[in-house]
Amino acid sequence: MARRAAGAEFVELAKMRVQQAKTIDELRMAQAAYLPLAFALSIGQTAEALGVSRGWACQLRGRFARIERGEMTPQA
C-alpha cells in the first residue's frame, strides 16, 4: 500500500499556481504537487499524467515545496 502524499498545506497554493503558471516548468511543478494531494494519485500515476519519469515527478514536487517554503529561489 502506498503512503499518502505529504504537503497538505500546499494543496490550495498548488491549485492557484497551476492556474497562474507562465512556463511549462512552473506548470509541471504545481501539477506534481497538486495532483497527488487533490486526487490521491500515486507518484507513478502523477508521473504518467505529467509525461515524466517517477524520479522527475518526485524532483518536481520537492522543488515546488522548497520554493514555496522559501528554501530555494525559482530558476529563470
Side-chain angles (χ1 to χ4, degrees):
M1 181 172 172
R3 64 184 184 152
R4 296 186 49 77
E9 67 272 15
F10 295 123
V11 71
E12 289 303 318
L13 184 59
K15 183 178 180 181
M16 183 179 71
R17 296 283 191 246
V18 166
Q19 296 168 350
Q20 296 174 345
K22 292 187 177 20
T23 67
I24 191 67
D25 290 332
E26 290 175 358
L27 179 61
R28 282 189 175 153
M29 279 191 294
Q31 287 175 327
Y34 181 67
L35 292 173
L37 297 170
F39 301 106
L41 297 181
S42 70
I43 198 67
Q45 292 168 322
T46 301
E48 187 175 336
L50 296 178
V52 298
S53 70
R54 290 176 52 149
W56 192 241
C58 286
Q59 287 184 30
L60 289 168
R61 275 194 92 223
R63 190 176 301 154
F64 178 85
R66 285 190 301 277
I67 288 170
E68 295 305 327
R69 281 190 238 122
E71 298 171 4
M72 181 179 171
T73 57
Q75 296 177 350

